[in-house]
Amino acid sequence: MKKILILTAGFGDGHNAAARNVRDALEQSPAEVEVTVADLYERSYKKLNIIAKQAYLGAVRYAPQLWGGFFKLLDHAPWLADGRGMAGLHRSLSQLIEETQPDCVVSTYPAYGQLIQSLYRDHCERPFRLVTIITDSRSVNSLWYRAGSDRFVVCDPATAEVLRQAGVEEKAIAALGFPVSPEFAVPPKELPECPTRGQRLRVLYVINTGQKKCGKAIDRLLEIPNVELTVTVGRYAELKEKLARRSQAHDGRLHLLGWTNQMPQLLMRSHVVIGKAGGASVQEAIAARCPMIINQVIPGQEEGNANIIRDANIGVVADGRKEVARWVERLAQDGGEQWLQWRRQIEKISRPDAALRIAALILEECEAANQVGRPEKFPALPRAVNVLPTAIPTPSKMVTLAMRAQLARNKTGPLLCDFHVHTNYSDGKLTVSEVVDFYGARSFDCICITDHWTDPRRLIGKLARLTPLTLSYDQVEEYFEVIAREAKRAWRRYGMLLLTGLEFNKDGPTRKSSAHLLGVDLKLPISPRHDLMETITRIHAQGGLAVAAHPHLMKSEWAKETLYLWDNQDKFAPVIDAWEIANRNNLFTPVSLRRLPFLANSDFHKPKHIYSWKTLLNCEKEAEAIKACIRRNENVSITLYRGEETPGVVEVASQMLEQPPLPFSRGASAAKQLANAFGPRSSPMGDGLASGVRR
Ligand code: ZN
Ligand code: ZN
């Protein structure tokens, strides 16, 4: 078993992306690995960190020049980011190292090199190898290399040269490319061909922070004939709603996507991408061999990235939306000449498999660490240097993630389940992978994701405003793919079953004509246009469960009440597999009076909803057994989940989720980091129910 600790930070673009992609690549390798990703700033400062991040985003949006200045200052004033005096970071790091006992530590953030150096300052050699992945290119802040590292991974030969000039040893430098997602190494279904007359130019437009005028930019781009535009708006649901009104005008040439997990595929199928010069964004475009039109550059930090595009002649830096449009016009109209030129250049430098190569290098370093003769137990860490005493890890903390997952997979006894969970594919706050980490860290055994799925014919009048709140037609296939992919990770990492589902929202003008129906464990999408009976037939045809969601009167002012199924029990009771006897904090006693088969779910939309009613099933931990148990409705009980007492966590999570993440940074955010931060500390499998759930 090789143990790897990846250190990252949520500031700026690229650190989290690099950390996540290297983790994914390591987890794909056939070697037995245990990877821990941690944000030390997150662990150490929590609330303060939120303020710092907001300050960063604010500075970038309103005073980019100021941020540029700060960045240069960092380069000359080591004390600003020095580990000394930062007791919180020290404490977190030494604690993490004791918990994870890594063979190799991987740093994706410049300040960690010095932190590690100062931790082992007066001490014997550090007992692990250190690999530093430099996420900047060309304009490399000296913080990255000042403290030394066993290996430095850089994204291109020019950056390697910068390091050499600064005196870094040749053999320590590896120019392997930027660690983009390993998915870039999988060839796309559909490649862009040369855009010639009559064929559409596929343009991908990634909306970034603070782009208020993107509506006008979109209109301008669609004035160009033969342009097909895909726009991703990230988590800006309001913006998506605003743009949705616009899109009706453009005969199917505008595709509007909210949050997407398919950025690699989108980039690989596009002719050109318009976006900001973030480190990860530029590198992803290069990996996808998709030329880039840059529409925003943060001075200092991102200038190097913009220069890559300029110098390699694989796109342009455009000044303002008019110039962006002029370049798109040129690409669409010169018979493909300009595009072919860029494309040929980009193919020369593209490294789509960089994350896999970096993973191989890290595994090599782990080998090296073991050959040197790793001490049986790590030497105690120095505690004198401004470090407060670290807590001695309790046995439960020492239970490693891999052992925990193994125990979870073989678990017998009551399974803790939640079959009604929303993600940001509809109106939930978390991404699918954040939901997996959130529930996984809380030792759940089985959950089903059920995003809202609505018949467009019913979206009349003001209801049409709800469009961004339901899963969109453009993304339903992606939704199934992503959940299937995450299901594998959930099983491997947490021993948790993840099922795909949909919540069919059949809303009429009154509560008596409205019904919400869950399809649990679906293999394929089912059209939302069928009536309820036909929908249930199709759910059953796939082996799924049809569950009546919140079937009775609810005690909350916001909820839309849905009584249609209840009022028509004669017709539906024979075909419904279970009725929600509890939905979040509502209990429906009539379900018990009628002796109907029951389930309890949280109707999860955001972290605080975890504290609500759940189902316990006494059956084998396997999808078919779970469904059979629900159908028979024997050995089913409900429980009010209270989880572990972690004051402040929920508050922090929800606050952090208010902020939009940086563009291109898929999936990394508060909940994941929280899961990482709290995961190893939660109780080992098996006692989750005893300590975590009040019966
Ligand atoms: Zn509902
Ligand atoms: Zn729901």
Side-chain angles (χ1 to χ4, degrees):
M1 174 70 80
K2 296 185 168 70
K3 294 175 183 171
I4 296 140
L5 172 62
I6 303 179
L7 300 176
T8 180
F11 304 102
D13 189 16
H15 311 297
N16 280 340
R20 198 171 48 249
N21 296 334
V22 168
R23 177 198 70 190
D24 290 353
L26 282 165
E27 287 186 342
Q28 279 182 20
S29 84
E32 284 266 297
V33 292
E34 186 188 308
V35 189
T36 307
V37 179
D39 178 340
L40 291 184
Y41 288 86
E42 194 75 55
R43 289 172 73 106
S44 315
Y45 300 117
K46 303 207 172 77
K47 280 203 167 170
L48 189 68
N49 192 36
I50 297 168
I51 296 163
K53 266 189 219 171
Q54 274 164 353
Y56 168 82
L57 283 173
V60 169
R61 203 173 309 171
Y62 302 113
Q65 294 298 339
L66 187 73
W67 178 252
F70 176 63
F71 199 71
K72 287 206 178 77
L73 185 67
L74 262 187
D75 217 359
H76 300 288
W79 50 269
L80 265 178
D82 190 352
R84 276 168 303 181
M86 301 177 89
L89 288 179
H90 263 261
R91 198 166 53 244
S92 295
L93 181 61
S94 55
Q95 209 171 350
L96 250 177
I97 287 172
E98 284 197 30
E99 275 173 32
T100 56
Q101 310 260 315
D103 300 292
C104 182
V105 173
V106 179
S107 163
T108 66
Y109 188 69
Y112 292 140
Q114 283 205 311
L115 187 65
I116 290 170
Q117 190 192 41
S118 83
L119 200 58
Y120 290 92
R121 194 169 44 181
D122 316 314
H123 203 66
C124 60
E125 239 178 284
R126 61 177 144 73
F128 50 80
R129 303 286 287 182
L130 176 62
V131 173
T132 302
I133 299 175
I134 297 185
T135 54
D136 295 341
S137 42
R138 292 158 195 230
S139 53
V140 178
N141 192 300
S142 66
L143 268 179
W144 279 109
Y145 48 79
R146 228 177 337 205
S149 175
D150 294 309
R151 306 294 290 269
F152 289 98
V153 175
V154 295
C155 51
D156 56 22
T159 312
E161 187 52 36
V162 173
L163 256 62
R164 246 175 254 129
Q165 294 291 328
V168 176
E169 257 187 302
E170 174 75 45
K171 66 173 198 291
I173 307 169
L176 298 178
F178 184 90
V180 291
S181 160
E183 282 172 55
F184 283 98
V186 183
K189 289 178 202 155
E190 167 184 35
L191 272 169
E193 282 166 33
C194 178
T196 45
R197 264 168 222 286
Q199 268 190 336
R200 281 181 178 177
L201 181 81
R202 292 202 287 261
V203 180
L204 177 63
Y205 183 7
V206 179
I207 306 280
N208 305 304
T209 39
Q211 292 189 343
K212 290 199 186 104
K213 301 209 168 142
C214 54
K216 280 187 182 159
I218 289 169
D219 287 345
R220 176 69 190 86
L221 289 169
L222 285 165
E223 281 168 18
I224 305 166
N226 299 331
V227 162
E228 190 182 316
L229 190 60
T230 302
V231 179
T232 64
V233 298
R235 285 192 222 235
Y236 305 97
E238 273 171 43
L239 181 63
K240 189 181 172 194
E241 186 194 319
K242 246 168 51 194
L243 295 176
R245 282 179 222 140
R246 238 171 243 267
S247 78
Q248 284 145 13
H250 299 285
D251 56 356
R253 292 197 295 136
L254 174 61
H255 311 288
L256 212 50
L257 303 180
W259 182 263
T260 176
N261 288 289
Q262 302 295 87
M263 196 54 89
Q265 288 76 7
L266 283 173
L267 279 166
M268 285 192 280
R269 73 178 287 280
S270 298
H271 285 104
V272 65
V273 58
I274 302 167
K276 87 192 252 285
S281 325
V282 166
Q283 296 299 339
E284 289 189 338
I286 294 173
R289 287 169 286 168
C290 180
M292 191 165 190
I293 299 174
I294 290 174
N295 62 356
Q296 191 190 352
V297 183
I298 299 175
Q301 185 192 17
E302 290 185 347
E303 278 160 10
N305 306 327
N307 287 339
I308 298 179
I309 298 285
R310 227 182 259 138
D311 298 351
N313 188 23
I314 53 175
V316 287
V317 180
D319 192 14
R321 63 172 189 273
K322 283 186 185 141
E323 206 181 316
V324 169
R326 269 201 293 279
W327 275 100
V328 172
E329 206 153 25
R330 184 159 161 195
L331 289 176
Q333 286 171 0
D334 72 351
E337 217 166 282
Q338 177 66 66
W339 184 77
L340 277 175
Q341 200 186 14
W342 284 349
R343 179 85 177 185
R344 274 195 290 268
Q345 292 301 107
I346 210 167
E347 271 165 10
K348 287 186 197 159
I349 58 169
S350 179
R351 297 275 180 82
D353 59 350
L356 299 169
R357 288 146 159 274
I358 294 170
L361 176 135
I362 291 168
L363 293 173
E364 235 171 66
E365 289 298 312
C366 290
E367 285 298 328
N370 286 323
Q371 273 163 18
V372 171
R374 217 163 133 251
E376 192 73 347
K377 174 137 184 27
F378 272 36
L381 289 162
R383 304 235 163 118
V385 278
N386 289 336
V387 180
L388 301 172
T390 51
I392 297 160
T394 58
S396 73
K397 275 191 201 170
M398 302 299 285
V399 174
T400 65
L401 267 177
M403 278 164 67
R404 226 181 98 184
Q406 185 63 36
L407 284 168
R409 285 191 286 266
N410 298 330
K411 181 180 170 186
T412 54
L415 305 179
L416 181 59
C417 308
D418 193 349
F419 299 100
H420 190 162
V421 177
H422 296 274
T423 73
N424 65 355
Y425 273 110
S426 64
D427 58 348
K429 290 274 183 219
L430 306 188
T431 66
V432 176
S433 67
E434 286 165 356
V435 161
V436 165
D437 289 332
F438 188 81
Y439 277 87
R442 283 162 181 74
S443 304
F444 271 72
D445 295 295
C446 178
I447 65 169
C448 182
I449 291 182
T450 52
D451 271 309
H452 297 290
W453 186 225
T454 313
D455 184 345
R457 293 171 305 179
R458 286 175 184 253
L459 289 173
I460 35 165
K462 71 172 190 200
L463 273 178
R465 286 184 53 241
L466 295 174
T467 315
L469 304 182
T470 91
L471 180 58
S472 83
Y473 294 90
D474 292 338
Q475 286 188 286
V476 68
E477 233 177 89
E478 169 184 331
Y479 172 83
F480 273 75
E481 275 174 34
V482 166
I483 297 175
R485 194 163 75 214
E486 282 293 322
K488 288 187 197 147
R489 192 175 70 86
W491 186 247
R492 196 176 57 218
R493 197 169 169 80
Y494 300 106
M496 178 175 78
L497 288 167
L498 177 70
L499 308 178
T500 309
L502 289 167
E503 179 171 11
F504 295 88
N505 288 29
K506 305 283 183 192
D507 290 327
T510 65
R511 64 187 191 189
K512 283 193 163 298
S513 59
S514 299
H516 287 187
L517 178 78
L518 304 177
V520 171
D521 196 26
L522 300 179
K523 311 295 177 228
L524 293 165
I526 294 171
S527 166
R529 291 172 180 251
H530 303 300
D531 66 21
L532 276 163
M533 207 37 117
E534 179 64 20
T535 307
I536 293 170
T537 308
R538 285 172 188 250
I539 291 169
H540 286 158
Q542 294 190 20
L545 299 177
V547 178
H550 38 81
H552 208 265
L553 296 175
M554 293 203 266
K555 284 199 176 55
S556 78
E557 63 293 351
W558 59 268
K560 179 159 177 63
E561 292 189 322
T562 47
L563 298 179
Y564 182 79
L565 289 169
W566 187 258
D567 290 349
N568 293 277
Q569 267 175 68
D570 293 351
K571 188 174 163 198
F572 288 103
V575 289
I576 295 272
D577 297 292
W579 302 71
E580 278 186 347
I581 196 164
N583 176 286
R584 202 173 305 155
N585 295 313
N586 286 279
L587 272 172
F588 307 110
T589 28
V591 172
S592 118
L593 291 170
R594 294 280 171 99
R595 301 198 179 183
L596 290 164
F598 63 90
L599 278 183
N601 296 320
S602 36
D603 204 344
F604 181 91
H605 284 74
K606 52 184 155 190
K608 71 172 185 188
H609 293 166
I610 196 73
Y611 304 110
S612 61
W613 289 100
K614 304 285 179 291
T615 305
L616 290 173
L617 299 176
N618 215 336
C619 68
E620 224 180 291
K621 192 164 184 174
E622 193 268 320
E624 293 307 319
I626 284 174
K627 287 187 288 180
C629 181
I630 294 168
R631 286 189 203 106
R632 281 197 316 273
N633 230 240
E634 289 166 14
N635 299 316
V636 178
S637 41
I638 67 170
T639 180
L640 192 53
Y641 180 86
R642 284 292 179 257
E644 285 205 284
E645 296 261 276
T646 40
V649 174
V650 173
E651 191 193 344
V652 171
S654 53
Q655 271 188 29
M656 297 198 48
L657 289 162
E658 298 300 307
Q659 303 170 39
L662 292 156
F664 281 77
S665 71
R666 295 181 305 276
S669 77
K672 179 171 286 174
Q673 288 151 10
L674 283 170
N676 283 332
F678 291 98
R681 255 173 271 178
S682 62
S683 50
M685 278 309 303
D687 71 6
L689 293 177
S691 67
V693 181
R694 198 182 289 160
R695 274 189 252 206

